[in-house]
Amino acid sequence: MSSQDLVRRNIREMQGYVSGEQPDTAKFIKLNTNENPFPPSAKAVDAIRSAALGNLNVYPDALSSAFRIAASEILQVEPTNILCGNGSDDILTMLTRTFVDAGDWIRIPYPSYVLYRTLAAIQGAQTEEIHFNSDWSLPAEFARTDKNPSLVFLPNPNSPSGTAVPLEEISKLAESLPCPLVVDEAYADFAETNSLELVRQHENLIVTRSLSKSYGLAGLRFGFAIASESIIAEMQKVKDSYNCDSLSIAGATAAIQDTDWLNENRQKIIKLRSELDRDLVELGFHTVPSQANFIWCQHPNHPALSLYEQLKRNHILVRYMDYPNWGDGLRISVGTANQNSALKTILGSIID
């Protein structure tokens, strides 16, 4: 018997999630994984330093109570409506564990976050992919009730497109679906609207958030879910015992309370996003209007893979993404003004 024979069949047959490249940032301009190009709140950094001097020999608060209390005041929900995780991916894992049995169906839009498929495969579940319309709107069939899905994931804004589904449509989805609807709002702080109010209106609607993007804390790994108290209570049963460490709880709590920093950073990113989109259009790219901190683009005369490779040779890293039965393109994270300017210069020399 080989070691492979000892592994569950669905694990042997699945493809693991592949994250974006993480190069030496001293050598590359890194615009490939949608990180915030600016440092996080100074208050968050101070809180992490203070926590590091504390009792690290003691287990952290298993429920991240300090964060739940702080976030509940900011978001106008109860602490019992919040569950914290080691990044929002941890929350997505908990959701899959909570609601999905082996052989069940998970519905997702396509193209979107590929981790959803991985989570389904780990659980022994099947994935139903509903293709976006050509304008990145959701087709009517996304709301259908056949196949009786156990869970539906809807990233909003979506990756790689940066587009968002209107709230009225999300509300109708929640009403029609026979299962939980997870609105993955990793990029919601850069968008015009969010689904938080819909949690109060629909028992089956769950919002997930991340501090990796808008709060500049990708290295800290902290995310959370907002849902009804009864759903949060069930999710707590499947989470790891101490899934958030003392440093991340302290930093996340200070970060979410620093609303001035968030608002200033948000406006800065949105302005840079607009300028980046303008620059790409001037270079002949077709772009999709984005409500996230990245832009999806394609050039009619230059293959996306070739552009990615030439940019990489020039020490600029963007994300090349190829979706079967859809097409390929570049997803470019919003950088600082200097980073975006360097990107424009190198792209101009390649395309010229």
Side-chain angles (χ1 to χ4, degrees), residues 38 263-273 334:
F38 301 104
N263 291 334
E264 180 181 345
N265 187 266
R266 176 181 183 272
Q267 292 305 319
K268 199 184 316 185
I269 296 291
I270 290 174
K271 180 176 182 292
L272 288 166
R273 181 183 70 194
V334 175

Side-chain angles (χ1 to χ4, degrees), residues 159-201:
S159 176
S161 63
T163 52
V165 176
L167 295 186
E168 318 84 74
E169 193 170 340
I170 295 174
S171 183
K172 291 178 181 177
L173 269 175
E175 289 175 359
S176 63
L177 290 170
C179 66
L181 171 62
V182 179
V183 185
D184 184 351
E185 292 194 338
Y187 304 99
D189 286 324
F190 305 111
E192 297 172 358
T193 59
N194 64 69
S195 301
L196 187 57
E197 183 60 37
L198 298 182
V199 174
R200 302 181 181 93
Q201 301 172 19

Side-chain angles (χ1 to χ4, degrees), residues 33-36 186-187 190 210-217 293:
T33 49
N34 303 338
E35 293 137 330
N36 197 312
Y187 304 99
F190 305 111
S210 170
L211 271 69
S212 297
K213 317 299 182 184
S214 54
Y215 288 90
L217 291 170
N293 67 333

Side-chain angles (χ1 to χ4, degrees), residues 208-231:
T208 63
R209 295 276 181 92
S210 170
L211 271 69
S212 297
K213 317 299 182 184
S214 54
Y215 288 90
L217 291 170
L220 199 66
R221 308 307 300 131
F222 198 94
F224 59 101
I226 309 158
S228 69
E229 184 175 347
S230 60
I231 284 180

Side-chain angles (χ1 to χ4, degrees), residues 80-319:
T80 49
N81 294 127
I82 298 173
L83 182 64
C84 301
N86 180 27
S88 60
D89 288 350
D90 185 29
I91 296 293
L92 300 176
T93 301
M94 281 188 258
L95 285 162
T96 310
R97 288 178 180 174
T98 303
F99 295 109
V100 182
D101 274 325
D104 284 356
W105 285 91
I106 292 178
R107 180 176 298 161
I108 63 174
Y110 180 83
S112 68
Y113 191 22
V114 296
L115 180 68
Y116 304 142
R117 283 189 313 215
T118 304
L119 295 177
I122 292 171
Q123 201 70 5
Q126 303 176 75
T127 304
E128 180 188 23
E129 295 180 332
I130 306 294
H131 284 223
F132 278 108
N133 294 320
S134 59
D135 63 353
W136 294 96
S137 61
L138 274 181
E141 63 180 317
F142 197 78
R144 71 188 191 205
T145 56
D146 64 321
K147 288 194 176 179
N148 196 28
S150 295
L151 191 64
V152 173
F153 284 117
L154 178 65
N156 207 54
N158 179 56
S159 176
S161 63
T163 52
V165 176
L167 295 186
E168 318 84 74
E169 193 170 340
I170 295 174
S171 183
K172 291 178 181 177
L173 269 175
E175 289 175 359
S176 63
L177 290 170
C179 66
L181 171 62
V182 179
V183 185
D184 184 351
E185 292 194 338
Y187 304 99
D189 286 324
F190 305 111
E192 297 172 358
T193 59
N194 64 69
S195 301
L196 187 57
E197 183 60 37
L198 298 182
V199 174
R200 302 181 181 93
Q201 301 172 19
H202 302 284
E203 181 75 16
N204 66 329
L205 194 144
I206 302 155
V207 166
T208 63
R209 295 276 181 92
S210 170
L211 271 69
S212 297
K213 317 299 182 184
S214 54
Y215 288 90
L217 291 170
L220 199 66
R221 308 307 300 131
F222 198 94
F224 59 101
I226 309 158
S228 69
E229 184 175 347
S230 60
I231 284 180
I232 295 296
E234 296 302 315
M235 291 176 65
Q236 285 177 2
K237 297 177 183 178
V238 305
K239 81 174 188 69
D240 292 343
S241 303
Y242 302 101
N243 60 331
C244 298
D245 63 71
S246 300
L247 304 187
S248 65
I249 295 170
T253 302
I256 202 164
Q257 290 175 313
D258 196 350
T259 54
D260 288 342
W261 181 93
L262 175 65
N263 291 334
E264 180 181 345
N265 187 266
R266 176 181 183 272
Q267 292 305 319
K268 199 184 316 185
I269 296 291
I270 290 174
K271 180 176 182 292
L272 288 166
R273 181 183 70 194
S274 176
E275 293 170 353
L276 175 60
D277 184 87
R278 179 201 63 206
D279 290 344
L280 291 170
V281 170
E282 287 179 359
L283 291 169
F285 283 88
H286 296 159
T287 64
V288 177
S290 175
Q291 293 198 43
N293 67 333
F294 55 84
I295 292 174
W296 174 254
C297 61
Q298 298 158 314
H299 199 284
N301 303 321
H302 296 269
L305 181 57
S306 175
L307 289 172
Y308 157 78
E309 291 171 340
Q310 291 181 79
L311 283 170
K312 189 173 182 179
R313 285 196 291 270
N314 283 276
H315 303 283
I316 297 179
L317 201 60
V318 299
R319 191 75 181 263

